[in-house]
Amino acid sequence: MVDYDPVIYSRLLTSFTLGFHIIFATIGVGVPVMIALAEWTGIKQKDPHYLLLARRWARGFVITVAVGVVTGTAIGLQLSLLWPNFMRIAGHTIGLPLFMETFAFFLEAIFLGIYLYTWDRVKRKIRHLLLVIPIVIGSTASAFFITTVNAFMNTPQGFSLEGGVITNIDPILAMFTPAMPTKVAHVLITCYLTGAFLLAMISAFQILKGKHHIYHKKALHLSMVSAFIFSIATVIIGDLSGKFLAEYQPQKLAAAEWHFETTNEAPLIFGGVLTEDNDAAYGLEIPYALSILAHGYPGGEVVGLEEFPIDERPPLWIHYLFDLMVLIGIYLLLVSFIYIVSSKMAPALVYSQLLLRAIVIGGPLSLLAIEFGWIFSEVGRQPWILVGVMKTSAGATTAAHVDLLLVVFATVYIILAVSCIAVLRKLFKEYPVEKELQDRGIK
């Protein structure tokens, strides 16, 4: 019989909850931007197809927001129940962004209701467009405030801990840590990229089914052009994130790249299998690439894992998460680039079976990249819950029955997932776009 360990079950429950919630949080941040772009394009070009795009995307968005609210609330409760020692410090130092996130959500929720209600009740379309701006600001601000909490966990500051007593608390300093700029930028831009690819996936799938109406083609074009721009931004911010890790969390970068010895001109290892002698067998070694990622030039010195105590090294399997995240990012960039080039030079290829299927695959892959990136970020910080201050084992609860909570939450979330999919299918199946185009007299 396996001994009950509240730390393990607390980690499992938190991981499961966050892994589920992050799907809806990503959609909640990325899709409002696409809705705003669609309505703005429709007004600018006086094109009813783009206006209908914004209207239909907003309907589906409401359903995902509802699920995101439920799962987000559960996370707030779990932090206090499962990680009381961590919250004893975080509640005093990083409570401000947690508090502000509530107001950001209120802003988003209030204006989302007004935005949906006033579609046919505002004479000047530009005034209706203005209503989507607070939704975008609210969703983006929510992501900003929550990500500052994660940044604080990676580079904690803004307090002193002496003999277990918290003193010299500075909430502003705790919010704006060295990790904040790259983490916030990376979270936001990947949310925008994922939102664009998910919507492009839907349009590409409809075209593959033989629905060649101009509405679907315009939806695909807007989504893929946006995806290409966001892909480029993701690459740039990813590079900056690598340089942040090299300076502030070198052990995470070293574990991700199986870099054991401190060296100059360090190569980057892609894939492979780690041997007992800490050699990467069967991996692709790219000369100088790790030094360039860490410092921007080939001769940069990259700190190896040998510099850190064994009990403070992250798990080495995060290497595969890093590789998968990067590989998917390259895939999304290439697919969107091929679409852009094809639309300019060979329009017939835009709707080819191969490219459309590649776009459809890009939808779920973009969500997987989000999951891989989140797991990499959290597991790569281990064994710390607050780097250099508190280990994960010290922050967890010692209460019983966390394993029962895991079963309960897993059951509830499965029901939520099935219900969400069923409602979305029913919503759009009962009122397909072809019927709505006909009802509104749009050709």
Side-chain angles (χ1 to χ4, degrees):
M1 183 175 179
V2 179
D3 293 335
Y4 171 79
D5 187 345
V7 177
I8 292 177
Y9 282 107
S10 294
R11 291 182 66 179
L12 286 173
L13 178 53
T14 304
S15 299
F16 180 80
T17 304
L18 285 171
F20 186 86
H21 173 71
I22 202 169
I23 296 173
F24 296 92
T26 299
I27 294 171
V29 175
V31 171
V33 173
M34 297 305 302
I35 293 172
L37 286 173
E39 187 168 7
W40 177 75
T41 304
I43 294 172
K44 183 181 178 182
Q45 299 182 5
K46 297 181 180 179
D47 190 324
H49 294 114
Y50 287 108
L51 295 176
L52 185 59
L53 263 179
R55 185 190 290 257
R56 290 179 67 85
W57 285 348
R59 288 178 196 153
F61 174 65
V62 171
I63 308 301
T64 61
V65 167
V67 178
V69 170
V70 175
T71 55
T73 303
I75 291 172
L77 293 173
Q78 285 181 15
L79 284 175
S80 298
L81 291 174
L82 302 180
W83 308 100
N85 295 327
F86 162 71
M87 288 303 293
R88 181 173 57 87
I89 295 177
H92 289 83
T93 55
I94 203 67
L96 179 60
L98 290 172
F99 180 69
M100 294 300 295
E101 194 272 340
T102 304
F103 287 94
F105 169 71
F106 285 164
L107 179 69
E108 177 187 4
I110 291 170
F111 277 91
L112 180 58
I114 297 172
Y115 178 79
L116 292 171
Y117 180 76
T118 56
W119 258 107
D120 297 315
R121 293 174 172 83
V122 177
K123 292 183 179 180
R124 295 187 63 184
K125 292 184 175 62
I126 191 66
R127 291 182 177 176
H128 187 263
L129 174 64
L130 294 176
L131 294 174
V132 80
I133 295 177
I135 301 174
V136 174
I137 292 174
S139 61
T140 298
S142 292
F144 169 81
F145 290 126
I146 291 301
T147 306
T148 59
V149 178
N150 183 268
F152 170 79
M153 296 167 72
N154 284 275
T155 51
Q157 64 179 31
F159 69 99
S160 298
L161 189 62
E162 300 175 0
V165 179
I166 306 169
T167 60
N168 302 323
I169 297 171
D170 186 340
I172 302 299
L173 189 63
M175 275 186 65
F176 295 94
T177 66
M180 187 276 292
T182 52
K183 278 198 168 290
V184 168
H186 194 71
V187 165
L188 290 178
I189 203 64
T190 51
C191 285
Y192 300 155
L193 172 60
T194 302
F197 246 100
L198 287 174
L199 295 174
M201 173 193 70
I202 296 171
S203 302
F205 183 73
Q206 295 298 323
I207 297 172
L208 279 171
K209 288 173 60 178
K211 298 180 180 180
H212 294 283
H213 195 282
I214 189 65
Y215 168 90
H216 298 296
K217 294 180 179 180
K218 289 179 179 179
L220 181 66
H221 185 73
L222 177 64
S223 302
M224 289 306 295
V225 170
S226 301
F228 177 65
I229 296 171
F230 296 145
S231 295
I232 295 174
T234 299
V235 172
I236 296 171
I237 295 170
D239 177 72
L240 295 175
S241 298
K243 290 169 176 55
F244 161 79
L245 290 178
E247 182 175 356
Y248 291 96
Q249 290 183 293
Q251 67 273 33
K252 181 187 287 189
L253 183 63
E257 285 305 318
W258 291 345
H259 184 69
F260 294 92
E261 297 181 2
T262 300
T263 58
N264 298 320
E265 302 178 349
L268 187 147
I269 299 172
F270 190 86
V273 177
L274 195 63
T275 67
E276 293 181 0
D277 298 327
N278 290 333
D279 290 327
Y282 313 112
L284 174 63
E285 186 174 292
I286 306 174
Y288 311 112
L290 185 56
S291 288
I292 294 173
L293 175 64
H295 301 289
Y297 60 97
E301 181 181 84
V302 182
V303 178
L305 275 177
E306 65 180 6
E307 304 288 341
F308 304 94
I310 294 177
D311 63 345
E312 293 183 7
R313 297 177 185 177
L316 296 178
W317 56 266
I318 66 172
H319 170 77
Y320 297 110
L321 296 175
F322 183 83
D323 286 354
L324 287 169
M325 179 175 58
V326 172
L327 188 62
I328 293 174
I330 293 172
Y331 176 87
L332 299 179
L333 176 60
L334 285 176
V335 170
S336 57
F337 175 73
I338 292 170
Y339 176 90
I340 296 295
V341 173
S342 298
S343 65
K344 299 294 184 182
M345 302 180 65
L349 294 178
V350 169
Y351 307 112
S352 65
Q353 293 279 313
L354 183 61
L355 182 54
L356 289 173
R357 286 173 180 167
I359 294 171
V360 170
I361 293 172
L365 281 181
S366 64
L367 279 177
L368 281 176
I370 292 287
E371 294 285 2
F372 293 148
W374 170 76
I375 298 172
F376 170 76
S377 177
E378 299 303 296
V379 176
R381 189 181 63 243
Q382 300 305 313
W384 303 100
I385 191 169
L386 278 176
V387 174
V389 177
M390 178 184 288
K391 290 192 174 182
T392 303
S393 56
T397 181
T398 57
H401 308 305
V402 180
D403 52 345
L404 178 60
L405 278 177
L406 175 60
V407 174
V408 171
F409 272 94
T411 304
V412 171
Y413 282 8
I414 290 171
I415 294 172
L416 273 175
V418 172
S419 301
C420 180
I421 294 171
V423 170
L424 286 171
R425 286 192 63 187
K426 184 177 178 63
L427 177 66
F428 291 106
K429 190 174 182 180
E430 289 190 350
Y431 198 23
V433 65
E434 292 79 12
K435 188 175 188 309
E436 187 162 8
L437 287 166
Q438 183 179 3
D439 292 345
R440 298 184 181 279
I442 303 173
K443 297 182 180 180

